[in-house]
Amino acid sequence: MTEKIPLQYIADLSCLALEEDEKKALAADMADIIALMDTIKDIDVGDAPITEHISGVRNIMRDDAVSGSMAAEKVLSNASVRLEGCFVVPKLME
Amino acid sequence: MPYLPTIGLEIHVELSTGSKLFCGCPVSFGGEPNSRCCPVCTSVPGTLPVLNRAAVQYAIKAGLALNCEIGLFSKFDRKNYFYPDLPKAYQISQFDLPFCLDGYVDIELNGEQKRIRIERIHLEEDAGKLVHDGLDKYSLADYNRCGVPLIEIVTKPDIASAQEAKAFVEKVRLCLLYAGVSDCKMEEGSMRVDVNTSVRPVGTDELGTRTEMKNLNSIRSIVRCIESETARQASVLDSGGRVVQETRRWDDNKGESRAMRSKENAHDYRYFPEPDIIPAEFTQEQIEALRASLPKMPHERYLEYTGKMGLPGSDANQILESVALADIFEDAAAISANPRTSASLIIVEILRRLNDMGLSPEQIPFDGAALGKLVKMMDERQITANNAKKVLTLMFETKDSPDKIAKDNGFAVISDVAGIKSVVSDILKQNEKAVGEYLAGNAKTFGFLMGQCVGALSGRADPQVVRAVLQELLQKGQD
Ligand SMILES: [Zn+2]
C-alpha cells in the first residue's frame, strides 16, 4: 500500500521539506487513512444524489456592510519579522 | 512560414462592493499596508468566512451583461496553493459549478463582426500583494487586497489577433462598467488579464502548444505581449525547436517576456468542495429580477445613438466611453430634443474642460437636465452659441442653472427690436464724430459703428437685426 502513495509529490505541492524517517511515518499514516476511506466503497449508495455540502443548508450570506478592520499593529503582531508595515516573507520568485 | 495565433484570455475583475467577499473589511485602493485586514482575511485559525450577498449579485450581473447562462445552483471550492500572497494557503474559488457559463461578446473590427465565446465566470477572493523590489532574499507582504471579491472571466480560444484581443477586452470592460459591478481601472489593478497564446501554421487546424502570460494591466501591454509572443513562438518553430508549455512574465519596459521558473505540477491545485461556505441556490425569477435591474448595455445604446438620434459612430463611441457621459447625454437629448447639439457640446466643450481641469466625467457638477436646458436655450435663440460656451464654463464653477447664469451675466439675447434700438442709439450718441463722417459720405465708417454696436451687445443680438437697426437710425439722422 505504502509504495502507491506519491508522498514526495504531495510534499512538493505542500512546500514541505521532509526527512526520510518523516516520509516513512507519514506514508504509513496516509496508507491507514486511505484504507479506512476505502470502506466507503463497500456501501451501496444507490441513487443517492451527490452531496455538495454536508450541512444541507443553502444561501447563508451577509449584507455588504463594512464592519471595520483591525489596527495594522495588531495584524502585524503575528509577523515574526516585519518591515514598513508589511510581513517579511522569504522571496519566492516564480 | 507564416503562422496564426490562437488566443484565449482570463480576465480578473475586482468587484466594487463596499466590503470584502467573506468579511467586513472595506474594499478600497491605496492606503497604509495591512490596514484593511481582520482575522478572517488574514486567515487566523478558527475564523469563519461568510459570503457577501452583493458580490454574488455582481458576479451574476456580470454574467448577464456578458450573455452567460446563470447556474441556479452554485458552490465554492478550495484551491490549494502555497505562496505567501495567500495567508490561508488556499483560495476560496469555484471549480465545477461557477455562477456563470457559456456567454459571448460580439466585437467589431474593420467593419466585421465576430463572436468571442466565454466559457465561464466564477467568483473568488483576491490574493494579497507582494513587493519584491529592493530586498535581496525577502519580499514584503501586504494583505489589504486579500479577500477582495474578484470574478474571473475565461474565454474560449476564439481570439485570432492582438487587435481582436484589444477589442474584446475593451468591450468587456465597457459592459462591466455599465453593469455597475466594477470600476475596471486597469492602472489600479482592478482589471488584470492573463493571455494564453499558441500559434499554428497558416492553413492548418491543429492547435500548437500554448504559453500563459500573467497579470497584464493595460490594453497596450496586452497588444504588445501577444504580438511579441506570436513572433517568438513562430521563430522557435521556424528554427526547428518546439514551444514549451510554460508561464511567462511580460516585461513592459523591455517589451519582451521570459519564462518563469515554475514547477511542472504548478497547476495541480487539489480542488475540493469548500466546507466553510454554504452553497447558493436561486430561482429563475431571482435571476430575471437581476437581469431587469441592469441598465441598457453600451451596444444597445450605440444602436440608438447612431440610429434615430443621428449621431456619427465615432461620436457615439466617444460618449459611450463613460457611463456618466452617456447618462448626461441621454438626459440632455431628451430634454432638448436635440441629440446632435447635446453630443457636440459634450464632445467638444465638456470633454475639453474636463481635460483642462483634470476631472473625470463622474465629477461633472451638473446633470443632463441642465445641459439639455442650455441646448434648448440655444435652439430657441435665447442665447448665442458663443455665449452658450461661456455659460457652460460657469456651470462648472457655480451650481446655478443655465438660465440663471445667462441672466446674471447679461448673456441673454435681446430679442425685441426696441431693446436693440436703445443700445444702438446710445452708441451713436457716444460716436458723434463718426456719425458725422458717415453722413458726410464716408461709407467706411459704417463698419466701425457696426463693430461698436456688436461689441456693446456682446453677442446678445442677431447681427442681421443690429445691422438693420443701425442703418435705420443713420438713415433718420440723414433726413
Ligand atoms: Zn477582513
Side-chain angles (χ1 to χ4, degrees):
Chain A
M1 194 77 212
T2 312
E3 69 279 1
K4 286 186 188 161
I5 295 176
L7 199 92
Q8 189 55 52
Y9 177 70
I10 295 169
D12 288 345
L13 280 180
S14 317
C15 296
L16 291 176
L18 298 176
E19 302 294 335
E20 274 312 311
D21 55 334
E22 288 175 311
K23 275 188 209 167
K24 251 185 210 148
L26 277 170
D29 279 353
M30 290 184 77
D32 286 348
I33 293 165
I34 290 167
L36 179 66
M37 296 305 289
D38 276 346
T39 58
I40 291 173
K41 286 179 183 166
D42 300 332
I43 303 168
D44 178 14
V45 291
D47 299 329
I50 294 171
T51 304
E52 299 292 359
H53 195 274
I54 196 169
S55 68
V57 181
R58 299 284 180 262
N59 296 336
I60 304 292
M61 298 185 203
R62 44 175 269 274
D63 289 336
D64 181 25
V66 173
S67 57
S69 304
M70 290 195 293
E73 183 58 31
K74 198 157 184 207
V75 174
L76 288 162
S77 62
N78 274 332
S80 45
V81 189
R82 61 168 102 169
L83 185 68
E84 294 168 13
C86 291
F87 292 79
V88 176
V89 295
K91 186 177 263 181
L92 287 174
M93 287 294 275
E94 322 82 62
Chain B
M1 198 190 294
Y3 295 89
L4 290 175
T6 302
I7 301 151
L9 302 179
E10 289 162 28
I11 307 180
H12 301 262
V13 182
E14 285 183 355
L15 302 177
S16 27
T17 51
S19 65
K20 290 186 179 179
L21 186 52
F22 300 120
C23 64
C25 288
V27 170
S28 52
F29 181 72
E32 290 298 306
N34 295 303
S35 61
R36 295 189 294 275
C37 298
C38 73
V40 173
C41 55
T42 50
S43 328
V44 175
T47 52
L48 186 66
V50 183
L51 192 55
N52 181 338
R53 185 179 296 107
V56 173
Q57 289 168 343
Y58 282 15
I60 293 175
K61 279 185 176 188
L64 292 170
L66 301 174
N67 307 302
C68 290
E69 302 293 331
I70 308 301
L72 295 181
F73 179 89
S74 292
K75 69 170 174 72
F76 285 82
D77 298 277
R78 194 171 280 196
K79 179 181 179 179
N80 297 283
Y81 76 90
F82 293 81
Y83 198 67
D85 63 357
L86 197 70
K88 279 205 290 288
Y90 60 83
Q91 180 187 33
I92 301 180
S93 181
Q94 297 190 288
F95 182 57
D96 57 336
L97 292 169
F99 286 115
C100 320
L101 288 165
D102 295 329
Y104 64 86
V105 161
D106 290 328
I107 57 167
E108 204 181 279
L109 213 63
N110 309 321
E112 270 180 57
Q113 236 186 31
K114 178 170 175 181
R115 179 156 294 184
I116 309 294
R117 291 168 302 160
I118 291 168
E119 187 171 299
R120 56 184 281 151
I121 304 176
H122 63 258
L123 179 60
E124 61 188 22
E125 55 180 333
D126 207 346
K129 220 176 191 167
L130 293 181
V131 179
H132 304 291
D133 303 341
L135 291 164
D136 189 18
K137 286 182 184 146
Y138 302 99
S139 302
L140 299 181
D142 169 9
Y143 295 133
N144 279 341
R145 210 175 61 187
C146 265
V148 168
L150 193 71
I151 50 170
E152 181 174 333
I153 302 164
V154 183
T155 74
K156 296 275 190 193
D158 286 352
I159 298 167
S161 70
Q163 290 309 314
E164 283 185 19
K166 175 175 188 272
F168 177 78
V169 174
E170 282 173 347
K171 183 87 179 265
V172 166
R173 180 176 169 276
L174 217 49
C175 288
L176 297 181
L177 278 176
Y178 278 78
V181 301
S182 173
D183 61 20
C184 296
K185 285 184 180 160
M186 296 190 88
E187 68 282 6
E188 290 182 4
S190 59
M191 186 168 177
R192 316 188 290 268
V193 180
D194 297 348
V195 180
N196 296 307
T197 311
S198 68
V199 301
R200 61 190 158 83
V202 171
T204 66
D205 284 337
E206 206 180 321
L207 289 181
T209 306
R210 70 191 172 104
T211 62
E212 183 176 18
M213 210 80 74
K214 287 250 187 215
N215 272 333
L216 298 164
N217 59 2
S218 73
I219 300 271
R220 180 175 165 270
S221 58
I222 293 168
V223 169
R224 293 176 74 212
C225 142
I226 290 172
E227 284 168 351
S228 147
E229 183 59 9
T230 306
R232 189 192 67 84
Q233 290 187 14
S235 86
V236 167
L237 295 175
D238 278 343
S239 61
R242 63 180 191 91
V243 174
V244 183
Q245 180 162 359
E246 62 191 355
T247 304
R248 301 179 65 85
R249 184 189 293 280
W250 174 251
D251 185 330
D252 207 41
N253 294 323
K254 290 185 186 151
E256 61 182 34
S257 66
R258 60 179 170 75
M260 282 160 69
R261 193 154 44 83
S262 65
K263 283 178 240 152
E264 263 167 53
N265 49 26
H267 286 283
D268 187 350
Y269 295 118
R270 304 267 154 154
Y271 281 97
F272 62 85
E274 171 58 58
D276 282 348
I277 303 296
I278 302 296
E281 210 167 30
F282 300 98
T283 62
Q284 196 58 45
E285 290 71 44
Q286 288 171 315
I287 304 298
E288 292 314 315
L290 284 173
R291 193 194 304 276
S293 75
L294 283 176
K296 249 184 263 174
M297 286 294 118
H299 38 278
E300 276 177 77
R301 296 187 192 220
Y302 180 88
L303 294 177
E304 286 179 9
Y305 294 4
T306 56
K308 63 176 191 234
M309 293 177 143
L311 298 194
S314 58
D315 287 5
N317 277 331
Q318 236 181 317
I319 291 170
L320 286 166
E321 272 294 299
S322 143
V323 189
L325 282 187
D327 287 344
I328 285 181
F329 166 70
E330 287 174 25
D331 288 345
I335 287 203
S336 65
N338 186 344
R340 298 192 71 134
T341 305
S342 302
S344 87
L345 277 185
I346 289 174
I347 291 168
V348 182
E349 302 299 330
I350 293 184
L351 284 182
R352 182 167 56 76
R353 284 168 177 76
L354 290 178
N355 192 37
D356 290 349
M357 291 184 279
L359 297 179
S360 68
E362 292 74 31
Q363 294 168 295
I364 296 174
F366 50 85
D367 57 14
L371 182 68
K373 173 83 191 149
L374 180 63
V375 173
K376 211 172 171 188
M377 286 163 64
M378 290 166 69
D379 284 345
E380 290 173 354
R381 300 193 179 279
Q382 297 171 32
I383 190 168
T384 61
N386 211 23
N387 279 339
K389 292 176 194 170
K390 292 179 191 162
V391 171
L392 199 55
T393 301
L394 290 168
M395 283 166 72
F396 275 93
E397 288 164 17
T398 71
K399 293 216 160 59
D400 291 339
S401 65
D403 38 347
K404 182 170 188 316
I405 292 173
K407 213 168 129 199
D408 291 354
N409 294 276
F411 293 148
V413 164
I414 302 169
S415 47
D416 63 314
V417 177
I420 295 171
K421 261 187 190 160
S422 102
V423 176
V424 173
S425 92
D426 282 349
I427 299 283
L428 294 184
K429 274 179 206 145
Q430 288 157 24
N431 293 280
E432 276 174 8
K433 189 166 163 260
V435 173
E437 282 172 24
Y438 176 79
L439 294 178
N442 187 355
K444 275 185 193 162
T445 331
F446 185 84
F448 166 76
L449 289 168
M450 180 70 188
Q452 295 294 305
C453 294
V454 168
L457 287 160
S458 62
R460 289 180 292 148
D462 185 342
Q464 299 282 46
V465 181
V466 177
R467 174 177 292 269
V469 168
L470 180 61
Q471 272 166 343
E472 185 196 325
L473 293 184
L474 286 171
Q475 192 66 44
K476 269 186 194 158
Q478 228 159 15
D479 296 341

